[in-house]
Amino acid sequence: MTPDKQPSLRSRSRRKIPVAPLHDFPPGTRMEVKVGSVQIAVFNVGGDFYALYGRCPHQSAPLSRGRLQGTVICNAETCWKTEWAHDGEVLVCPGHGMEYHIRSGKAFGYNLRLRTYEVVVEDGQVKLVM
Amino acid sequence: MAADGQLVTVQKVEPASNPVQDEDLEQYGEDLSGLTIVDVDVHVDDTLMYMLDYMEGHFRKRMETVLQADFKGEPGNSLRNMIAHIAWLGSSYDKPPRAKLATKEDLLARMEKGIIDYSILFPSELLPVGYLPEPEWAAALATAYNQYMVDAYNNLAGVKIAIVVAPQHPDRAAEEIDLHAAHPDVVSVCIPDVGVNPPIGDEKYRPIFEAAARHDLPISFHGIEALIHDNYPLRVAHFHTLMQVNSMGFPFTSMLQIMSVVCAGIPVRFPNLKFAILEAGLTWMPFIMYRLDAAYLRYRTELPALEKKPSDYIRDWYIGTHELEALPRRGDLVKLIELYQGHETTMWASDWPHLERDLIAGFMRYEMDDELRRKILGENALRFFGLTPRK
Ligand code: FES
């Protein structure tokens, strides 16, 4: 297949998948969405929506059921002192506790990033963009 | 609702207050149907309060005193917390949901889910029994545990029990084996492999092996964090974090006990006795087998009882998969098993319900042929524990 015949991800139309009416998805709640065999965890954190790939790469536990809290960091910015950080933004896997930054999908302490998805609110509906 | 022909489902969920377990997941369905699954390392709530009714005389008095103390505010008081977690209290910032102790009802609910055919119950509370300096007290605790387990968990479909012995009192340990070996639900003798000093191959422990061999009851060594003891086998107080102690404690103590048993010639003296090693992972198995073989070449005359090289004995040992190391490639587990020749001896183990338990999905992600998968998930354990398939 030549490159110009290959359907690129960009040219493929993006699907918007309704998740819930906005009033049914208030801050502090989360939804587990399955699109075919793909599981996605969608969170409302203080009015901002985040969606991440929903199965932990370690042993497949459902990330939609993880707690949100903070974690400890220690890096050049903290002058190599340990500090509590990202309070409320760290998704803790309910399997064995791997931690993911809810905004970026980046795993703390691993060279690993979960796929994230855009979430939009249109006409009072929360929609997942895939 | 459908999008591009794909089924979409949306479900409102709550954060889990306990770690998710295999039985909480709906994902296995067809993958596992028809397979016999034996979970060879399962723990139920055996905190000390359950032991009280099984203790007599001054030890009962002592237990009453112990139960009044409040270690970490946990119900039932915990020998483990007492000994273990003081040094590292809070080191995990309460990060993962804390695993609750599993009640009998939790275990029955798990079994009813039908994923697991057999759960083999091992002690939690009594695993540090080897640390206790007073042999009589250690033996009294082991006796209480065994009777409690046999009373509380007998005759449950798919539930079997490993009794525990206090190695520092070999004669009492042998009596425990003699007492419980004929019970239809008792399938193994558990020797905790930490705190056993001198190592378990020492002549003083011979009554334990004689008793197990007499009853054809397999021996399972079960690991535990090397915790806070400061001498045998590691000076763990030199490590600042529980993670380091945990990582090294289980395999090091397991290797030490395997080495001790084999070098003492116990498999030669008791050729029908079966051994398993649990909760120490797998990756060190090739190391200890072939490291000993290399040294055997030079030092064979120190071990005149051996009739073959150490790895020829160790490859007969059964081994539980937990805590399954995170090997990077899907084909790596088979390569590892080939190295230690463990096709007939590797047994799936979860360590349910502890936080570090393995989910079946963690094992299923490794590629292997169906025959090997069947052996590891169930057939090898059926043979080791002398169980008949339930389906
Ligand atoms: S399944 Fe997520 S940390 Fe193990």
Side-chain angles (χ1 to χ4, degrees), chain B residues 146-157:
Chain B
N146 293 334
Q147 199 57 53
Y148 165 66
M149 291 300 291
V150 164
D151 286 351
Y153 288 89
N154 75 81
N155 206 18
L156 303 174

Side-chain angles (χ1 to χ4, degrees), chain B residues 152-173:
Chain B
Y153 288 89
N154 75 81
N155 206 18
L156 303 174
V159 176
K160 298 292 172 187
I161 300 164
I163 58 165
V164 71
V165 293
Q168 54 277 64
H169 204 319
D171 290 334
R172 285 285 304 279

Side-chain angles (χ1 to χ4, degrees), chain A residues 15 17 19 24 30-36 55 59-62 64-65 67 69 72 92 94-97 99, chain B residues 3-4 6-16 19-20 25 27 93-96 355 357-359 361-362:
Chain A
R15 285 183 294 156
I17 294 170
V19 174
D24 283 347
R30 69 271 301 280
M31 301 277 177
E32 187 174 271
V33 180
K34 281 189 195 139
V35 181
R55 286 228 175 266
Q59 290 187 357
S60 300
S64 59
R65 287 180 247 169
R67 293 194 303 181
Q69 58 177 62
V72 281
V92 181
H96 311 83
E99 297 152 294
Chain B
D4 288 4
Q6 284 179 311
L7 187 67
V8 177
T9 59
V10 178
Q11 188 191 355
K12 192 164 204 158
V13 288
E14 298 291 331
V20 294
L25 305 174
Q27 67 197 60
Y93 300 96
D94 196 29
K95 179 177 67 104
L355 182 62
R357 84 255 161 270
D358 283 320
L359 300 174

Side-chain angles (χ1 to χ4, degrees), chain A residues 4-66:
Chain A
D4 51 346
K5 281 190 185 158
Q6 197 166 2
S8 81
L9 278 177
R10 285 193 179 285
S11 65
R12 202 193 290 164
S13 67
R14 299 199 308 163
R15 285 183 294 156
K16 289 185 184 161
I17 294 170
V19 174
L22 185 57
H23 58 84
D24 283 347
F25 199 165
T29 62
R30 69 271 301 280
M31 301 277 177
E32 187 174 271
V33 180
K34 281 189 195 139
V35 181
S37 60
V38 179
Q39 194 162 314
I40 297 160
V42 188
F43 298 83
N44 183 342
V45 182
D48 295 327
F49 287 95
Y50 302 101
L52 303 98
Y53 181 72
R55 286 228 175 266
C56 179
H58 174 231
Q59 290 187 357
S60 300
L63 290 169
S64 59
R65 287 180 247 169

Side-chain angles (χ1 to χ4, degrees), chain B residues 193 199-202 209 221 232-233 251-267 275 277 284-285 287-289 291-293 295-296 299 302-303 306 310-311 313-314 317:
Chain B
D193 63 13
I200 199 72
D202 191 272
F209 297 107
F221 288 93
Y232 177 81
F252 266 64
T253 50
S254 298
M255 281 191 276
L256 284 161
Q257 301 304 3
I258 288 183
M259 179 172 73
S260 181
V261 167
V262 170
C263 292
I266 290 170
F275 297 95
I277 200 102
W284 48 270
M285 271 293 268
F287 164 79
I288 192 64
M289 287 167 77
R291 182 80 185 163
L292 289 182
D293 282 359
Y296 187 66
Y299 300 112
E302 290 182 2
L303 316 171
L306 297 201
S311 68
Y313 295 104
I314 300 175
W317 283 55

Side-chain angles (χ1 to χ4, degrees), chain B residues 314-369:
Chain B
I314 300 175
R315 74 170 183 220
D316 291 339
W317 283 55
Y318 287 67
I319 183 163
T321 52
H322 178 265
E323 186 172 0
L324 191 55
E325 288 94 346
L327 301 170
R329 289 172 297 261
R330 286 172 188 254
D332 286 348
L333 186 56
V334 168
K335 287 186 205 154
L336 174 68
I337 290 169
E338 274 165 9
L339 275 179
Y340 70 81
Q341 306 170 66
H343 298 79
E344 307 296 325
T345 53
T346 306
M347 308 185 285
W348 186 72
S350 75
D351 195 35
W352 183 91
H354 293 162
L355 182 62
E356 61 273 32
R357 84 255 161 270
D358 283 320
L359 300 174
I360 296 174
F363 170 72
M364 296 301 278
R365 69 181 282 275
Y366 290 109
E367 290 158 358
M368 64 188 67
D369 62 47

